[in-house]
Amino acid sequence: PLPSMLDERMVRDVVYGFYDKIRADDMLGPIFNGAIADEEWSHHLAKMCDFWSATLLRTSRYQGRPLPPHFALPGIGEEHFRRWLTLFKATVQQLCPPPVAALFFERALRIAHSFRLAIAFNRGE
Ligand code: HEM
């Protein structure tokens, strides 16, 4: 049975499960694997656990700026965000009880929307 509460363990399972899907994905795999070298993945995953822990559990573990690295990714558009969100939704639905899955997904959707706008604005679209 699924655990019922959002905790650090669930954050970790979601992050690892999600980036497993991402790295195996035809569309997003090459983008992520191109930006993050093999030996940097464990650092990236730890940072993403910090990010989600800070975002949903209000720990202060992530102190970074999430947006800027995304400006450096060439050719990121609508279809990439749609795919990212599809894989994220599939992950949280597999690993979390419905209210927790909804919490993760709502937050991801909101952040994805703000990134999309910022990237388009940055390009002068
Ligand atoms: C970092 C790709 C959407 C949160 C990164 C990195 C890549 C990436 C390649 C590593 C950059 C580097 O270290 O050089 C993408 C792509 C996306 C996407 C292709 C969608 C098309 C999102 C969304 C979120 C997010 C929706 C939040 C819900 C983050 C965070 C970092 C990150 C927190 C770490 C930033 C830091 O270094 O502090 N992303 N991302 N990303 N991404 Fe995304």
Side-chain angles (χ1 to χ4, degrees):
L2 290 170
S4 60
M5 285 261 299
L6 176 59
D7 60 9
E8 294 295 347
R9 175 59 195 265
M10 201 181 286
V11 167
R12 189 179 190 284
D13 289 348
V14 165
V15 166
Y16 279 68
F18 176 59
Y19 288 98
D20 278 351
K21 287 195 201 322
I22 284 277
R23 298 189 75 183
D25 188 64
D26 286 344
M27 183 193 285
L28 295 180
I31 296 172
F32 277 85
N33 289 317
I36 303 168
D38 277 343
E39 65 274 17
E40 289 166 5
W41 267 96
S42 62
H43 174 71
H44 182 68
L45 294 172
K47 181 159 56 176
M48 296 312 295
C49 289
D50 288 346
F51 172 77
W52 281 108
S53 167
T55 300
L56 295 183
L57 292 170
R58 300 185 185 284
T59 60
S60 307
R61 291 214 315 250
Y62 179 81
Q63 307 271 354
R65 297 196 305 141
L67 176 62
H70 299 88
F71 290 132
L73 304 172
I76 295 300
E78 283 301 310
E79 69 277 22
H80 300 97
F81 278 103
R82 265 202 302 276
R83 185 77 190 138
W84 192 106
L85 288 164
T86 298
L87 295 177
F88 194 80
K89 185 181 240 176
T91 307
V92 295
Q93 285 180 342
Q94 272 163 13
L95 298 175
C96 310
V100 177
L103 184 69
F104 263 111
F105 190 69
E106 263 168 39
R107 195 58 67 95
L109 197 58
R110 212 193 301 165
I111 297 168
H113 185 63
S114 73
F115 280 13
R116 250 182 329 212
L117 285 176
I119 288 170
F121 186 74
N122 189 250
R123 286 186 188 139
E125 283 166 11

